[in-house]
């Protein structure tokens, strides 16, 4: 168990809908990352927060947004969903923002858009 | 340009044998970190091992070791005494210091351990 909690485990929704994925980092970790894993794109970095502030942004669509709250949990909001958004969404956390601080991943949320 | 290259889509290894999973990377930074992760069929991503670019010794963690060749920009994962539970996808990843870059992953290698 990595200590990173993601809810829900599975989500099935229709095109055009909006969903919220939730992540609780490991105790003491200040940095939270969101990744999307799909068969054709592999693991793609979406966004990173450090202690409540956005630190880095990757290939995150404008329809997607995220935030990190004062208690350090994070939410990823996906709106106007399309079939192509179906993927496994991972949250990860790390103790610091330094290069040698490994990311610890949650079990992921599997999103299916029908 | 792809930063992490894993050229072996799939590998087979006999139980109790050692196996090497290849990883090459591309960076102009002098300071960076290299990571390996395991993803079993259940889906979770498990951190295995870390190697810093300035580390002189190859990293080891139990049955996992990292064969780091800086000049060749390779960071191969060696799994000794393979077990059936080692069957999984293995991802190599890199994080550069400059530009606050995120952890970038390769496309992975699927390892199958045969009894």
């Amino acid at each position: 168990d990595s200590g990173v909690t993601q809810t829900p485990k599975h989500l099935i929704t229709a095109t055009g809908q909006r969903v919220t994925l939730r992540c609780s980092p490991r105790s003491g970790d200040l940095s939270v990352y969101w990744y999307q894993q799909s068969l054709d794109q592999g693991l793609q970095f979406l966004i990173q927060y450090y202690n409540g502030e956005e630190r880095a942004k990757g290939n995150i669509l404008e329809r997607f947004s995220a935030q990190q709250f004062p208690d350090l949990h994070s939410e990823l909001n996906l709106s106007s969903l399309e079939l192509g958004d179906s993927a496994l969404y991972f949250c990860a956390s790390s103790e610091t923002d330094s290069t040698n601080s490994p990311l610890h991943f949650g079990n992921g949320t599997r999103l299916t858009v029908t | 340009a792809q930063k992490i290259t894993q050229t072996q889509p799939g590998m087979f290894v006999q139980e109790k044998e050692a196996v090497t999973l290849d990883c090459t990377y591309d960076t102009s930074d002098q300071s960076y970190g290299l990571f390996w992760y395991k993803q079993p069929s259940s889906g979770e991503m498990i951190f295995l091992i870390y190697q810093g670019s300035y580390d002189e010794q190859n990293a080891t963690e139990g049955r996992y070791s990292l064969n780091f060749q800086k000049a060749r920009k390779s960071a191969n994962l060696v799994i000794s005494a393979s077990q059936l539970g080692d069957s999984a996808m293995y991802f190599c990843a890199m994080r550069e210091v400059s530009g606050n870059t995120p952890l970038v992953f390769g496309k992975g290698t699927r390892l199958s351990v045969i009894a």
Side-chain angles (χ1 to χ4, degrees), chain A residues 35 37 55 97 99-100 103, chain B residues 37 39 50 95 100 103:
Chain A
Y35 280 81
Q37 186 179 33
R55 183 59 68 98
D97 198 27
T99 315
N100 63 357
L103 273 60
Chain B
Y37 284 82
Q39 186 176 36
Y50 163 80
R95 188 170 190 182
N100 194 32
L103 191 61

Side-chain angles (χ1 to χ4, degrees), chain A residues 38-86:
Chain A
S38 60
L39 279 173
D40 53 342
Q41 295 290 327
L43 270 156
Q44 295 287 316
F45 168 71
L46 296 178
I47 198 164
Q48 178 202 354
Y49 284 85
Y50 181 79
N51 205 18
E53 294 191 1
E54 184 182 303
R55 183 59 68 98
K57 217 167 185 174
N59 301 321
I60 187 165
L61 300 171
E62 283 192 16
R63 301 182 285 108
F64 296 0
S65 65
Q67 55 183 324
Q68 186 180 29
F69 295 86
D71 67 352
L72 301 178
H73 91 271
S74 178
E75 291 181 358
L76 178 67
N77 300 296
L78 316 176
S79 61
S80 303
L81 285 167
E82 302 174 359
L83 296 177
D85 298 327
S86 296

